[in-house]
Structures are given as structure tokens and as C-alpha cells.
Amino acid sequence: MSHDTWIHRVARVTVVKPLIHTAVTPNQVTTARLLTGIAAAAALAIGPEWQNLGAAVFVLSVVLDRADGDLARLTGRTSASGHRYDMIADAVSNALVLIGLGVGLRDGGYGLLSVSMGFMAGVSVAAILWLVMRIEELKGARAAELPSVAGFDADDAVLLIPVFIWFGQAEGLLVAAFYIAPLVAALFFAMYRKKLPPSEPQ
């Protein structure tokens, strides 16, 4: 990530600056990100009547995700373990939100199929972040990042989740995630394969 997207700027003003001179650690912010991600997924899983609340909590979770790294950089507390914890929290939160969405739409037009669709999308998102971690282990930090465009990173696309929900397009979002997330996972798997060291001749 570029660390200077629009979402980073919002996080810097609303979360990071008030915390710089406090005892709050970046890992504690990451934990708050994880807990809010789980809470958002739980709200979405209840059903349509909780979707708007779940979407709002997920926006908070995404802002906290941008805040933890910024707080670490601005206070000189960056670490490999903290970055790994951040990635794991991202994988769990983003995957569970899509799974929760699928569960919550079980009484909609796709019936129980929506649960399987959410699970497939969620597992694919988790796989993407796992592959990013593996690529970084092989080639170093930021080795798997995609370029930013107009102040947005590729992973800012997760904010489309609440936008679709608020516009009453939760089922359309689920369908899009079901098809797109596995394709993106396949793209990152191809990137991972390219970065593997050449095999030794037998």
C-alpha cells in the first residue's frame, strides 16, 4: 500500500493523531480492527435488518486497519510481527465479513446457496492475503503490492462492501465477490509462483 491513500488520511486525523502520545500500541489498534471486523460479520450474519449496522461497523474496522500501521510508523514501533498480525487480522476480518454476508442472505433470492457463495468469496480473500504474506517472506515487504490509483489502493475495494449494502445491493455484491475474489486469488497465486526460486536440477 502507498500509506497515503484517502482512507489513510482519514485514519490519520480521526484515530492516529489522537493516539500518538498515549500508551495505546499499534497491536492494540490491530486488535480493535479484528474485533470490529468480527462484530461486523456477526451483524451481517443475523440478516437484512442488521446489514446497515454491520456495514457501518465494517467501515470503522477498515479505518482502524489503516490506522495501526500509520501509528506504528509515526511512533517508531514497526515490527515484522506487528505487520504479520495486521495481515492476519485483515484476512480474518475481510473473510468473515463476506461469509457473514452470505449467511445473512440465506432467506433471499439465492436461498442457502448464498451461504456457500459467501464462504467461497471469504476463503478466496483469506487466500489472497496468505499469498501476500508468502510473497513478502520470499521477496520482502511490499513485494506483492499493486499500484495506487487516484489515492486508492487495490485493497480499498473492500469499502465497496458497505457501499453496496447501503444502496440495497447486498445480493449483487455477494455474486460479484463470489466470481471476482477467486479470480484475484488466482492472480496472486500466479504472482507467487513467479517469485519462487528456480528449482534445482535433479
Side-chain angles (χ1 to χ4, degrees):
M1 294 189 297
S2 70
H3 308 312
D4 196 31
T5 65
W6 292 108
I7 305 173
H8 280 96
R9 295 172 192 176
V10 170
R12 201 167 295 143
V13 171
T14 60
V15 181
V16 177
K17 287 187 177 180
L19 294 180
I20 285 180
H21 300 296
T22 71
V24 175
T25 68
N27 280 352
Q28 288 171 337
V29 177
T30 302
T31 299
R33 185 287 201 264
L34 177 59
L35 293 176
T36 50
I38 294 171
L44 292 174
I46 293 173
E49 64 273 19
W50 284 72
Q51 281 181 354
N52 287 337
L53 176 61
V57 174
F58 186 63
V59 171
L60 172 61
S61 187
V62 173
V63 171
L64 290 170
D65 175 40
R66 302 307 187 263
D68 57 3
D70 241 21
L71 182 62
R73 284 184 291 276
L74 292 174
T75 58
R77 288 182 285 186
T78 57
S79 68
S81 61
H83 177 63
R84 186 173 183 83
Y85 179 36
D86 178 34
M87 294 293 292
I88 292 171
D90 290 352
V92 172
S93 299
N94 294 344
L96 286 180
V97 159
L98 289 171
I99 293 170
L101 178 66
V103 172
L105 291 172
R106 61 193 177 277
D107 295 325
Y110 293 95
L112 291 178
L113 181 60
S114 68
V115 178
S116 298
M117 294 167 69
F119 185 79
M120 173 63 75
V123 168
S124 297
V125 166
I128 291 166
L129 290 165
W130 180 82
L131 288 164
V132 168
M133 287 191 288
R134 292 292 297 124
I135 291 170
E136 289 185 347
E137 288 173 4
L138 288 170
K139 297 296 182 180
R142 305 180 72 172
E145 74 177 24
L146 300 174
S148 298
V149 177
F152 291 95
D153 283 332
D155 65 344
D156 289 342
V158 294
L159 282 179
L160 290 175
I161 294 173
V163 171
F164 271 71
I165 290 172
W166 287 330
F167 278 90
Q169 299 299 318
E171 286 192 346
L173 165 67
L174 181 64
V175 172
F178 172 70
Y179 285 108
I180 295 173
L183 292 176
V184 177
L187 169 66
F188 274 89
F189 181 72
M191 290 174 58
Y192 170 65
R193 289 293 302 271
K194 285 183 179 181
K195 293 181 184 296
L196 286 173
S199 57
E200 296 292 333
Q202 300 296 320

